[in-house]
Amino acid sequence: MVIVTSLGNSEKMARSIARRLKAKYVVCDVSAFPDGDRYMRFAKNVRGSNVIIVQSFQPNPQKSLLDVVFAAEGIKQLGGRRVTVVAPYLAYMRQDKMFNPGEVISSRVMAKLLNNSVDSIVTIDPHLHRYKSMSDIFKIKAMNLCSNPLIGAYVKRNIKNAVVIGPDSESYQWAEEVAEVAGVQCTVFEKTRYSSRKVSVKMMKPIDMKGKNVVIVDDIISTGHTIAEAAKKAKSLGARSVTAITVHGLFAGDALKLMKKAGVSKVVSCNTIAHKTNGIDVTPLLTSWLKKN
Ligand code: R5P
């Protein structure tokens, strides 16, 4: 029997996955003792079942990660069989090397914890930059699915006279395919990051943005500075409007305000992290992988 559960961040998606898989949804009560120790209890017997834990690693990445480890270990204690983690957003992937001496490569720590506790993991567009594949850090079955076709279809359906921009060289993997699916032109900027809140962008391959509805596509919006700088550049080149589309909307601090001030008229995110900007549903993508695996 297959059971689907969630741990606080992705209940709506977990219930939807359970419905689509015709599986049972089991509530897991996640709370804390007065001193802060974690408490977890599954409302139904999980013995002999394959359990799918649906948990985005935002908000609160460290709690999210540890809750997955506790739940997975708990399922094994209770006699559950295989544990699959559906992490629509997988945190820690950006710290994929030691950028400064003494830094902890946290992506490896995250993967080690999951390698020890779960049997497989599936995610959407993890930040694979210096790692070429999930198997660089995961020993378990680890799959990454890509939201580009869904984002491309959204652009095609909703934004006329569009051009697509990737705000930095890493974003070509999203921007180019999205533009292809939408059937529009694309360019990728070059970004220099001076700190987590200071970036600048340059256009390397010029395209005409005059009068165009510019769509900036990136895997992650965190502080919003990358998108804000790209939006200002697009506006200065005559863009009619600027829409920002992201797979994972983290929106740290005043990110939304900052982007609006820079000329972004609309922000759309995939529902890998529950947020009011969610406009693209990745549930079918995850469900079809789960059905086959
Ligand atoms: C960076 O490598 C990512 O692809 C995003 O461009 C970055 O995380 C965005 O960060 P922020 O919104 O803070 O500029």
Side-chain angles (χ1 to χ4, degrees), residues 94 127 168 170 191 193 196 218-226:
R94 282 171 296 173
H127 191 81
D168 58 21
E170 292 158 43
K191 172 170 85 177
R193 186 177 279 286
S196 58
D218 206 355
D219 61 335
I220 292 174
I221 299 179
S222 178
T223 65
H225 280 90
T226 301

XYZ file of all heavy atoms in Angstrom, residues 94 127 168 170 191 193 196 218-226, ligand 1:
144
model
N 22.735 25.645 -3.386
C 23.612 26.702 -3.920
C 24.995 26.704 -3.272
O 25.949 27.174 -3.857
C 22.942 28.081 -3.767
C 21.875 28.316 -4.824
C 21.077 29.562 -4.531
N 20.339 29.421 -3.286
C 19.661 30.400 -2.706
N 19.629 31.593 -3.254
N 19.007 30.185 -1.593
N 19.257 23.458 -7.788
C 20.287 24.368 -8.316
C 21.548 23.572 -8.662
O 22.477 23.478 -7.864
C 20.576 25.479 -7.310
C 21.406 26.569 -7.909
N 20.864 27.569 -8.688
C 22.733 26.785 -7.892
C 21.829 28.358 -9.112
N 22.974 27.908 -8.634
N 21.342 35.702 -15.546
C 22.777 35.408 -15.359
C 23.136 34.169 -16.160
O 22.254 33.468 -16.668
C 23.136 35.252 -13.869
C 22.341 34.153 -13.179
O 21.814 33.256 -13.862
O 22.253 34.194 -11.942
N 24.099 31.246 -15.468
C 23.566 29.945 -15.031
C 22.127 29.730 -15.496
O 21.661 28.605 -15.621
C 23.563 29.853 -13.503
C 24.944 29.791 -12.904
C 24.953 30.232 -11.443
O 24.057 29.828 -10.693
O 25.869 30.980 -11.077
N 26.041 38.211 -14.986
C 25.852 38.865 -13.677
C 27.156 38.858 -12.901
O 27.892 37.888 -12.901
C 24.789 38.081 -12.894
C 24.604 38.499 -11.449
C 23.375 37.839 -10.822
C 23.656 36.467 -10.286
N 22.506 35.844 -9.623
N 28.224 39.232 -8.983
C 27.673 39.340 -7.623
C 28.768 39.837 -6.692
O 29.822 39.243 -6.578
C 27.147 37.976 -7.151
C 26.437 38.050 -5.810
C 25.861 36.715 -5.384
N 24.580 36.375 -5.984
C 23.427 36.934 -5.652
N 23.379 37.884 -4.751
N 22.302 36.547 -6.239
N 25.562 39.154 -1.143
C 24.239 38.541 -1.341
C 23.188 39.586 -1.701
O 22.116 39.257 -2.196
C 23.836 37.729 -0.111
O 23.837 38.545 1.016
N 14.201 32.805 -13.911
C 15.321 32.321 -13.090
C 14.847 31.158 -12.231
O 13.651 31.046 -11.939
C 15.856 33.464 -12.206
C 17.324 33.261 -11.823
O 17.897 32.213 -12.158
O 17.887 34.171 -11.186
N 15.778 30.315 -11.801
C 15.356 29.170 -10.973
C 14.907 29.616 -9.590
O 13.957 29.059 -9.039
C 16.465 28.103 -10.878
C 17.755 28.604 -10.233
O 18.007 29.817 -10.285
O 18.512 27.780 -9.691
N 15.608 30.619 -9.034
C 15.324 31.047 -7.659
C 15.220 32.562 -7.607
O 16.027 33.261 -8.222
C 16.475 30.599 -6.720
C 16.504 29.070 -6.591
C 16.368 31.246 -5.343
C 17.692 28.525 -5.812
N 14.217 33.067 -6.909
C 14.263 34.483 -6.515
C 14.396 34.474 -4.999
O 13.531 33.970 -4.288
C 13.000 35.272 -6.926
C 12.823 35.255 -8.449
C 13.107 36.708 -6.412
C 11.578 35.995 -8.940
N 15.493 35.013 -4.514
C 15.693 35.079 -3.060
C 15.509 36.533 -2.616
O 14.398 36.962 -2.312
C 17.067 34.519 -2.702
O 17.265 34.629 -1.321
N 16.562 37.329 -2.633
C 16.406 38.737 -2.221
C 15.746 39.574 -3.318
O 15.318 40.701 -3.068
C 17.785 39.375 -1.931
O 18.534 39.421 -3.159
C 18.553 38.602 -0.880
N 15.734 39.086 -4.542
C 15.129 39.814 -5.658
C 16.108 40.740 -6.372
O 15.766 41.348 -7.387
N 17.349 40.841 -5.879
C 18.296 41.779 -6.488
C 18.661 41.389 -7.925
O 18.811 42.262 -8.784
C 19.568 41.892 -5.633
C 19.381 42.790 -4.459
N 18.948 42.345 -3.239
C 19.522 44.131 -4.339
C 18.855 43.367 -2.407
N 19.191 44.464 -3.046
N 18.813 40.091 -8.189
C 19.162 39.662 -9.554
C 18.080 40.097 -10.531
O 18.354 40.685 -11.590
C 19.332 38.118 -9.593
O 20.361 37.761 -8.667
C 19.674 37.617 -10.973
C 21.816 32.058 -8.412
O 22.736 31.400 -8.783
C 20.371 31.741 -8.667
O 20.165 31.169 -9.920
C 19.544 33.016 -8.547
O 19.902 33.899 -9.602
C 19.798 33.682 -7.227
O 19.655 32.763 -6.188
C 18.861 34.845 -7.037
O 19.178 35.454 -5.840
P 18.653 36.899 -5.473
O 17.171 36.925 -5.703
O 19.019 37.052 -4.022
O 19.397 37.880 -6.326
